[in-house]
Amino acid sequence: MPSTPNPLRQLPSVNELLTQAQAQPLIESHGRVLTTESIRTAVDVTRQTLLAGQPADPSPAAILQRAATWLADLTLPTLLPVINGTGVIIHTNLGRAPLSAAARQAIATVAHSYNTLEYDLDAGQRGSRSLHAASLLQRVTGAEAALVVNNNAAAVILMLSTLCAGREVIISRGQLIEIGGGFRVPDIMAQSGAKLVEVGTTNRTHLRDYAQAITENTAAILVAHPSNYKIIGFTSEPELAELAELAHQHELLLLYDQGSGALRDTKPYGLAPEPLVQDALTAGCDLVTFSGDKLLGGPQAGILCGRADIIQRLQRAPLTRALRPDKLCLAGLAATLTHFVQDEVDEQVPVWQMMSQSIKALENRALAWAAELGEVGLDTAVQNGFSTVGGGSLPGTTLPTKLLVIRHTAVSHLETKLRQQRPPIIARIQDNQLLIDPRTILPEQEEALLEGLRVLSDEC
């Protein structure tokens, strides 16, 4: 009987494969070194598969196709734009606040060329990157001065380490919050070198609790706005103005981690009131910190606003250099703040556009989508629902919305299929239905959304 040929002998060499016409586009796109690695990997995978007794095509065309797939997977970016159909406006896992057109253009312009990041055109010499957003922040908040770092946690660490290291900082037990990723206020304070002094109880802290805790080693009173949770019922805490008066009587600082970056009243949007940065400064806070990518609606940033002498101390701190924002952040932040200065937030800042959408407009969008998708065989409907602000802002507060509903016997499978689209579509499942909230679908993404949803008709 003739012997069965050894399939391993049919494997072409790496050098042979590199000379194939099918390999040339790979070399042109990815370079010879990376293409060689991909081919070597494809040959090894084919060899191991054959040695395991599994079927594998050892032909040059098949191996080069495996190499091309390997290269595509390697070079595919993992940071991808997605379509957010969840109804969570400031979705931390999905990049928080989408930026306005002006902010995106400002970032692109600065990224494209050299720029005045640290150059003073008038003086013809080195300048400061701090000024690019500072004057806008002063105008919007009324602060004497402002400083930008790379996120709000960094702002809090910089504030405490520079102003309070080695000394006591008094804080209410009810404000020892944990933010996303297990990042806790006590841990931040420990990292800063400040000594935490807890006062009051979880639900009630009185002015006298703060007063009784003041010692000769006290540096400041810290207030942390619990923007990602809410305590209701039998609660009380002093007003910021009362704490400011107490702190200043004892020559202490009143520091306020406002967090959410609310610069305008949220009540007209049907939302619970959120403390404003401007009000905190008016009440007497010496320094207020907050995020740039939450209710402010800009890029990730940590912002410190307050007394000019304190900001100057922070600017001189060695840690400030390690926490400084880059040119792209500053360009996007300045453009976003300009919307506030020009009173065009509802028209230009996506976060506020989403919050201000009328229920009728949301219903019209959802009904139009349902009708179009019904024509391709999907079982659709529109029902009442709720959107949330998210991002550690306005906990427990919702906005009424209209939801696009897709019914199917295997909604988990449909949800997975949507995540595999390009761009990925992130939906949610509730009551065994696939739900898409039009509130968080950007207008320019509508066609991509519908195209991705039409694919689901193949599953019906």
Side-chain angles (χ1 to χ4, degrees), residues 25 46 117 137 174 177 190-191 244 269 318 339 396 400 425 428 434 439 442 451:
T46 304
L117 178 63
L137 284 165
I177 60 176
Q191 184 70 38
Y269 300 85
H339 295 313
I425 299 170
R428 57 189 173 99
L434 190 72
R439 188 183 296 276
L442 299 172
E451 184 177 340

Side-chain angles (χ1 to χ4, degrees), residues 97-108:
L99 301 182
S100 72
R104 299 194 305 270
Q105 182 58 55
I107 290 171

Side-chain angles (χ1 to χ4, degrees), residues 379-381 383 405-409 411 414 432-434 460:
D379 182 4
T380 62
Q383 70 180 34
V405 180
I406 299 177
R407 303 186 184 99
H408 194 270
T409 55
V411 291
L414 296 189
N432 203 34
Q433 298 179 125
L434 190 72
C460 298

Side-chain angles (χ1 to χ4, degrees), residues 119-134:
Y119 187 78
D120 187 329
L121 289 173
D122 292 332
Q125 60 187 20
R126 181 170 182 166
S128 170
R129 72 176 63 198
S130 299
L131 63 86
H132 298 298

Side-chain angles (χ1 to χ4, degrees), residues 6 36 56 77 83 86 93 125 177 184 244 255 257 295 312 314 349 357 366 381 389 394 430 432 438 455:
N6 185 351
T36 301
I83 297 175
T86 67
N93 301 129
Q125 60 187 20
I177 60 176
R184 299 179 173 183
L255 310 176
D257 175 16
L295 287 177
Q312 289 171 2
L314 298 175
V349 180
Q357 286 184 77
V389 176
L394 297 163
Q430 183 176 313
N432 203 34
V455 173

Side-chain angles (χ1 to χ4, degrees), residues 54-76:
Q54 301 295 321
D57 187 349
S59 69
I63 293 175
L64 286 170
Q65 182 56 52
R66 294 185 195 108
T69 300
W70 185 90
L71 284 168
D73 290 342
L74 177 68
T75 56
L76 179 70

Side-chain angles (χ1 to χ4, degrees), residues 188-241:
I188 296 173
M189 295 183 71
Q191 184 70 38
S192 73
K195 181 181 179 182
L196 171 67
V197 177
E198 303 174 34
V199 297
T201 62
T202 301
N203 61 317
R204 291 174 68 84
T205 302
H206 303 285
L207 189 65
R208 64 177 179 271
D209 295 322
Y210 289 94
Q212 292 168 0
I214 295 174
T215 71
E216 61 183 15
N217 195 40
T218 303
I221 294 173
L222 174 64
V223 177
H225 170 48
S227 60
N228 62 351
Y229 77 100
K230 181 183 293 186
I231 299 176
I232 60 175
F234 189 56
T235 67
S236 69
E237 61 182 20
E239 298 290 334
L240 286 174

Side-chain angles (χ1 to χ4, degrees), residues 82-85 98-99 104 350-351 353-354 357 365 369 437-449:
V82 303
I83 297 175
N84 175 16
L99 301 182
R104 299 194 305 270
V351 164
Q353 287 176 322
M354 292 176 187
Q357 286 184 77
R365 295 176 78 190
W369 300 347
D437 190 337
R439 188 183 296 276
T440 50
I441 303 297
L442 299 172
E444 60 268 27
Q445 292 181 324
E446 279 199 21
E447 186 50 45
L449 170 72

